[in-house]
Amino acid sequence: MTETGMSRETARLNRRGFLGAAGLAGAGLATAATGVRAAPPATPDPLITDVQDWARVLGDGVQARPYGSPSQFEKHVVRRDVEWLTASRESSVNFTPLHELDGIITPSGLCFERHHGGIAEIDPSKHRLMINGLVDKPMVFTVEDLKRFPGRQNHAYFLECAANSGMEWRGAQLNGCQFTHGMVHNVWYTGIPLKTLLDEAGIRTNAKWLLAEGADSSGMTRSIPLDKGLKDCLVVWSMNGEALRPEQGYPVRLVVPGWEGNMWVKWLRRIEVGDQPWHQREETSKYTDLLADGRSRRFTFIMDAKSVVTNPSPQAPLKHKGPNVLTGLAWSGRGKIGRVDVSIDGGRNWRTARIDGPVLPMSLTRFYVDFDWNGQELMIQSRAIDETGYVQPTKDELRKVRGVNSIYHNNGIQTWLVRANGETENVEIG
Amino acid sequence: MSRSAKVFTAATLCVALAGTGMVLAQQRPAAPAAGAVAAAAHVAAPQRTGLGREAHAAEVAAWAIAIRPDGQGLPPGSGSVKKGEDIYQTQCAACHGEFGEGAGRWPVLAGGRGSLKGENPEKTLGSFWPYLSTTFDYVRRAMPYGNAQSLSNDEVYALTAYIMYLNDLVPESFELTRENFTSVPMPNVGGFYDDDRETTERAFWNPNPCMTDCRPTVPQVTGRARVIDVTPEGRSGPRVE
């Protein structure tokens, strides 16, 4: 199905869902059509009748903001961290403010950060990328070399930390989608296929695994199956059209589409080619999924389909009765999102949301439900279904098969409780 | 612009590009770089650009420090538990605790045996890590925190030996060497298996997910984030208009 075809299909389902949703309307949600418009005020609005400063005096000239920043009135739209999570902020994480964003592209300065040894600040002229191991010739490339390779590509991909929602395994803990789901971002990357560099060095026939290594003080390393490296991994220097930000791996990072964020090695300085995995710290002690029987899954690379309603959510409560826009994000490491369903009664009844914007493989996808709110309590959930037919499970379904100790890969359905006063809370339901 | 003018411009451009020596990359013949070895060694005959340069052996030696469970990559050297204890107390104990118990939220290095099925799994070399090589590799590349790659190979052998000792894996008299490195298996080496979600969680692929009356009863709130109260945010309640 084409992307446009997909959008039409979901729109059709959406309308049908509304028509057949008399029960849902009774629960406080109806199609946006019944608003009663307010009368003119008793006194006119001075914001209209008085000449405001910004309409009278000259503002900043073109020299004042050589690199633009968001409005001074958007200062609250920032990444936030949770201090008690980690022993040191140099090996820690902060979170994307998903509830303040729309569309599918994450602004570069709001992409969550996860470092294991702080941000490496690297002069690109001093950066080197080495390919060694089971190759004809070990090679060294400069950043300028990389930018001269033919076959440059552009892709939008989501990057989700395997531990996103990891604090929620035992129950509702953090009150805001920024904290429960904010270890994900989605940007446009520009770079070259990793295969191009591997071909340049010449891979030996017995090669099966790659080791990607960063230049930071943690010397971050991950083993990656060669097949994945040849299929769609990229070596990139650009995000959203400009150079990578230092906290995202400037000058060069690895892109591993659909797979857990830890593998997307930042400050990429080396690719070793081998015939076995290396079993590094981040694929043994960390990023393995401890199950209820005390054994652990390893190499759980793919990020299962997942979604979250970003508005309303605890940091973005409902403030108005009448017309409102429910929106959220869905993504899958296995390809495109096929459909997103939304429930307002804790998963008893579902309707299919409207998807808007591009539906790209292994990219965030934006969905909407336009609705009227009559002030009744809501239990809002969303459920992603990807093109392989995988249906995002409930948290209890996940716990049944994985227990509560696995830390990573929590893609369970999130519930937001909207109270009569609009206040919205992260809750567990049973 | 008229059609003939466009043709003229394109022709001029081609001549100009050819004159500066520019060749479209797609048209370039797949010429292997000078000195490339026999094609039989390749997965597929690669198209090479000649970009980059060969690495110097000393450059590879400086960066290629990854160690595998089978010992591949281990440097020559050795270190005793006793020597490791001295280094540990000055370089590691401030964060990891005098006995590997962990200070504050810093990682615990010892103990935790039998904890993996419990409420608070403790993932140490003795309880969880499947391979000894991971400890050597990680300490050498990333420790001490904030002064990475400052330890000698012998010091890393000694620290690895000491962490083994803290986990009751070797006696106090033990000395770890490249030669005996793989002789002590880690207790949880059998505790891992490859990702099997696509078979064991097959039920999550559902062609007909329920759309109406999917729960027999009205759901009840069983847990609330606000009760836990650990979110680092102000929480003034909203006003509904």
Side-chain angles (χ1 to χ4, degrees), chain A residues 136 297-298 402 421 423, chain B residues 42 194 196 201 226 240:
Chain A
D136 294 341
R297 283 197 190 116
R298 67 182 172 197
R402 303 211 193 140
N421 67 355
E423 180 189 9
Chain B
H42 302 137
D194 288 350
D196 63 354
E201 298 182 0
R226 282 230 173 149
V240 176

Side-chain angles (χ1 to χ4, degrees), chain B:
Chain B
M1 196 188 281
S2 72
R3 188 172 176 276
S4 58
K6 275 185 200 161
V7 170
F8 172 76
T9 310
T12 312
L13 188 62
C14 285
V15 171
L17 291 180
T20 59
M22 192 183 247
V23 180
L24 294 181
Q26 292 89 330
Q27 293 170 355
R28 180 192 295 220
V37 302
H42 302 137
V43 170
Q47 181 172 342
R48 293 185 178 176
T49 64
L51 288 166
R53 64 166 173 83
E54 282 184 38
H56 190 284
E59 293 171 338
V60 176
W63 275 7
I65 59 170
I67 316 291
R68 285 198 326 204
D70 62 3
Q72 190 201 75
L74 278 172
S78 64
S80 65
V81 169
K82 197 150 179 48
K83 191 178 165 215
E85 182 175 10
D86 294 342
I87 303 162
Y88 181 90
Q89 296 308 336
T90 56
Q91 301 262 28
C92 318
C95 294
H96 293 296
E98 208 171 324
F99 305 101
E101 75 279 15
R105 297 189 60 84
W106 295 101
V108 174
L109 299 186
R113 238 46 88 104
S115 71
L116 298 182
K117 294 184 204 171
E119 280 269 304
N120 290 303
E122 208 116 77
K123 297 176 178 176
T124 72
L125 183 65
S127 70
F128 190 70
W129 294 38
Y131 305 110
L132 183 62
S133 56
T134 312
T135 300
F136 188 100
D137 177 289
Y138 184 71
V139 170
R140 183 160 70 147
R141 73 171 56 246
M143 291 290 117
Y145 193 64
N147 191 20
Q149 299 193 51
S150 60
L151 299 166
S152 71
N153 290 334
D154 283 347
E155 287 175 320
V156 179
Y157 274 106
L159 278 172
T160 306
Y162 185 64
I163 295 167
M164 294 169 82
Y165 170 73
L166 284 178
N167 280 286
D168 302 322
L169 297 169
V170 293
E172 199 171 359
S173 59
F174 183 72
E175 181 178 55
L176 184 66
T177 67
R178 179 161 72 170
E179 289 65 39
N180 70 7
F181 195 90
T182 58
S183 65
V184 184
M186 296 301 106
N188 195 42
V189 65
F192 293 82
Y193 57 96
D194 288 350
D195 187 6
D196 63 354
R197 283 174 292 173
E198 297 192 358
T199 51
T200 55
E201 298 182 0
R202 195 69 215 167
F204 294 158
W205 277 264
N206 176 4
N208 289 305
C210 177
M211 293 299 283
T212 53
D213 298 325
C214 305
R215 303 175 64 118
T217 56
V218 176
Q220 302 297 314
V221 172
T222 56
R224 300 179 50 206
R226 282 230 173 149
V227 172
I228 307 215
D229 195 24
V230 288
T231 312
E233 287 266 290
R235 48 176 66 81
S236 56
R239 214 182 66 223
V240 176
E241 294 166 18

Side-chain angles (χ1 to χ4, degrees), chain A residues 90 113 115 117-121 216 245-249 266-267:
Chain A
E90 290 74 32
E113 300 168 71
H115 315 307
I119 299 168
E121 295 274 5
D216 62 316
R245 294 289 167 90
E247 66 269 31
Q248 303 300 341
K266 299 186 283 192
W267 314 289

Side-chain angles (χ1 to χ4, degrees), chain A residues 301-313:
Chain A
F301 302 133
I302 296 176
M303 300 309 294
D304 290 317
K306 186 168 176 177
S307 67
V308 65
V309 171
T310 57
N311 306 78
S313 64

